[in-house]
Amino acid sequence: MLFPTLTPNAPDLPDAITVGDESLSREDLVGAATAVAERIYGARTVAVLAHPSIDTVLSIVGCLIAGVTAVPVPPDSGTKELAHILTDSGAQAWLGAAPDDSTLPVIPVRRYARSWHGHPQIAGSATALMLYTSGTTGLPKGVPITRDAIAAGLDALADAWQWSSDDALAHGLPLFHVHGLILGMLGPLRRGGRLIHTVKPTADRYAAAADAGATMYFGVPTVWARVGADQAAAQRLSSARLLVSGSAPLPVPVFETIRDLTGHELVERYGMTETMITVSTRADGERRPGWVGLPLNGVETRLREGDSDLPHDGESVGDLHVRGPMMAREYLNQPEKTAESWLSDGFFATGDVAVIDPDGMHRIVGRRATDLIKSGGFRIGAGEIETVLLGHPAVTEVAVIGVPDDDLGQRIIAYVVGEPVSDIELIDHVTTELSHHKRPREIRFVDALPRNAMGKVQKKLLD
Ligand code: MCA
Ligand code: AMP
């Protein structure tokens, strides 16, 4: 059972879930989500416009109760991204809010409806969520996540972090990725503790959650850098049990600032949409700045160079492969891309380059593909932005890169060759077609792009 504590007879906790100013008790959550489940029972796949709201929580939990695959859609998705996600996933309807010009049927979420109807158990192999994530080229790929993978992933983290029903988790991360949705929303539901979602992950809201009894906090490195820059807010997190960082490399100075202000060494963990979290430092173990920890329960990792294993000597740098029960098995509708990453022996080739020391500690050194950018903890494909910019009539050539940025980790810059046009127009063109976090922060107009003798753009010569 995915949520052992989510049954009508479960012991009630006041305010099991708070999102912004609104709260639901566990009893209300079960009753309202079961009412949602009744409305969608028998459907295969529905899309959920994943605003950080109680309605999103009810929609996702309703889908899980009914055994309907939920496709959480970024609420600021532009037209091209939205059309792709809906078509590719085969979503039959919107559950809850829908975009203005939607052509799909809309099933309302009635916040005050209640049902205590018992639904049959759903097979663990059923796809609970379809999460979309960017590759180096093309539009985002769907990753089907099973109920068993969610349960295994959350239980392995509970072991590493000593995460229990006594914990109140606070964060303000988006509800359409592994971090905010699976760990951040389904995690507290599986453990039976509280969730305090702050809607936005700002330092002052994290500080306010401390007054509401938060014991655990999640953030991407950008969030921790911003918390660290607000000394008074950061100090209020001292009362927490565990602060956790993930989704992108945590800069050592940020680790140190948070330690100095809160007395807590951030737990860092590493994962991917395709694999969920596979490696983490532990609540009861060493937290080494710049290192992401040990394999979780049930996870095996290896370093490869071609077909050979590399030693775990803390120095050899190789391709990181992972294998574990929390992993997805494929990309939706993409057999070739699936075969490139899911290897015949069950390992997943992450595309990240790492070292492992003799104690099993992992350090992520970088990514193999420069065309995958991590900005604010969001994974963004350079090719996706380039294709959209090339669709603008003023643009004849374009190259998108990520450059180091103190706040966002990486900042997106687009080099453009073409007719005169304002940078704002090009940036807005990207937000209209894709989503806000994919917009270039800067457009640099150039006469030509650097190319090699074969005509291939030399991105390394840019910036
Ligand atoms: C400015 N804005 C614009 C524009 N210019 N919006 C649209 N078009 C423009 N041209 C506005 C934005 O709407 C926003 O306004 C404000 O500028 C600031 O936006 P921005 O700088 O983009 O971001 P931010 O709000 O400062 O966001 C930083 C963030 C965010 C909060 C850290 O990047 C974030 O939520 N990151 C989390 C990513 C994440 O969860 N990744 C997990 C995936 P306004 O604020 O008024 O709306 S990874 C994963 O799942 C794996 C498995 C893992 O390991 O965890
Ligand atoms: P996503 O699928 O959006 O979660 O992106 C996954 C990628 O984020 C990984 O392949 C890594 O490149 C990066 N990533 C996630 N967590 C960490 C971390 N703790 N340190 C370094 N990189 C990370």
Side-chain angles (χ1 to χ4, degrees):
M1 191 183 279
L2 201 47
F3 302 126
T5 62
L6 265 197
T7 62
N9 303 325
D12 201 16
L13 274 175
D15 298 352
I17 290 210
T18 300
V19 183
D21 296 333
E22 295 184 290
S23 294
L24 281 182
S25 69
R26 192 158 297 266
E27 187 183 1
D28 284 338
L29 173 60
V30 175
T34 307
V36 171
E38 258 169 37
R39 299 183 78 94
I40 57 171
Y41 199 63
R44 192 182 59 250
T45 305
V46 300
V48 176
L49 206 55
H51 290 285
S53 67
I54 288 283
D55 280 6
T56 296
V57 175
L58 293 177
S59 299
I60 300 284
V61 177
C63 286
L64 290 168
I65 294 171
V68 174
T69 301
V71 188
V73 177
D76 62 358
S77 290
T79 38
K80 188 176 171 127
E81 185 171 301
L82 188 59
H84 166 70
I85 292 176
L86 295 179
T87 312
D88 188 61
S89 66
Q92 297 160 292
W94 285 103
L95 179 57
D100 291 341
D101 49 359
S102 160
T103 51
L104 286 178
V106 180
I107 305 167
V109 168
R110 301 210 194 287
R111 181 96 58 94
Y112 300 102
R114 297 286 180 274
S115 165
W116 310 108
H117 183 77
H119 284 272
Q121 279 283 346
I122 313 295
S125 57
T127 300
L129 298 169
M130 189 66 69
L131 298 187
Y132 277 81
T133 189
S134 293
T136 50
T137 56
L139 285 160
K141 295 173 290 211
V143 181
I145 315 261
T146 64
R147 302 165 79 88
D148 280 348
I150 293 172
L154 292 175
D155 291 353
L157 289 174
D159 169 72
W161 300 344
Q162 299 177 349
W163 187 358
S164 77
S165 59
D166 293 335
D167 279 306
L169 171 67
H171 72 89
L173 297 170
L175 296 179
F176 48 84
H177 280 310
V178 165
H179 197 164
L181 176 61
I182 299 187
L183 277 51
M185 188 187 113
L186 303 185
L189 291 178
R190 183 160 174 85
R191 296 277 70 82
R194 282 166 63 205
L195 167 62
I196 303 162
H197 193 283
T198 60
V199 179
K200 288 181 183 236
T202 55
D204 54 339
R205 294 186 190 199
Y206 274 34
D211 296 338
T215 64
M216 247 175 119
Y217 285 84
F218 287 172
V220 296
T222 301
V223 169
W224 290 118
R226 293 178 184 184
V227 170
D230 185 336
Q231 195 169 335
Q235 282 166 345
R236 286 167 68 190
L237 271 53
S238 312
S239 56
R241 183 180 72 78
L242 207 68
L243 312 182
V244 185
S245 178
S247 302
L250 177 68
V252 172
V254 176
F255 177 97
E256 291 170 345
T257 303
I258 294 293
R259 182 191 56 204
D260 295 347
L261 291 175
T262 67
H264 288 290
E265 294 187 324
L266 278 158
V267 159
E268 186 167 4
R269 89 295 180 292
Y270 159 84
M272 297 184 74
T273 306
E274 294 89 331
T275 64
M276 224 173 294
I277 309 307
T278 48
V279 176
S280 180
T281 53
R282 298 181 60 90
D284 59 359
E286 182 195 3
R287 314 198 192 148
R288 194 186 301 171
W291 294 69
V292 295
L294 308 166
L296 296 180
N297 262 350
V299 173
E300 298 158 86
T301 62
R302 68 185 181 197
L303 287 182
R304 300 287 269 193
E305 187 173 62
D307 289 336
S308 315
D309 281 327
L310 292 178
H312 297 182
D313 56 10
E315 285 174 10
S316 302
V317 178
D319 293 313
L320 179 64
H321 292 187
V322 300
R323 180 163 73 180
M326 61 289 285
M327 279 175 22
R329 302 218 174 92
E330 59 174 349
Y331 293 119
L332 180 70
N333 303 327
Q334 304 252 17
E336 281 162 24
K337 292 211 163 113
T338 296
E340 281 169 21
S341 296
W342 277 269
L343 310 176
S344 54
D345 58 5
F347 275 93
F348 181 86
T350 63
D352 290 306
V353 177
V355 300
I356 305 177
D357 84 356
D359 297 329
M361 267 279 188
H362 290 54
R363 183 161 69 84
I364 306 298
V365 176
R367 270 205 76 80
R368 191 59 72 202
T370 51
D371 276 350
L372 267 191
I373 300 166
K374 266 271 160 159
S375 188
F378 286 114
R379 170 167 148 190
I380 302 160
E384 192 181 344
I385 303 170
E386 288 163 357
T387 306
V388 165
L389 283 171
L390 282 172
H392 189 284
V395 175
T396 45
E397 289 178 50
V398 62
V400 166
I401 60 168
V403 300
D405 184 271
D406 283 345
D407 180 45
L408 295 170
Q410 283 185 294
R411 185 163 41 97
I412 301 172
I413 298 188
Y415 286 80
V416 168
V417 180
E419 304 297 318
V421 59
S422 78
D423 49 358
I424 293 171
E425 181 172 333
L426 293 185
I427 291 169
D428 286 348
H429 178 65
V430 174
T431 51
T432 311
E433 296 281 304
L434 300 174
S435 46
H436 292 183
H437 62 266
K438 294 182 179 170
R439 70 187 190 275
R441 302 296 165 131
E442 196 185 330
I443 306 278
R444 293 188 184 162
F445 296 97
V446 290
D447 292 332
L449 297 174
R451 291 182 185 274
N452 64 14
M454 308 292 289
K456 191 172 175 330
V457 175
Q458 301 289 88
K459 289 196 176 178
K460 290 205 167 70
L461 299 180
L462 293 170
D463 198 57

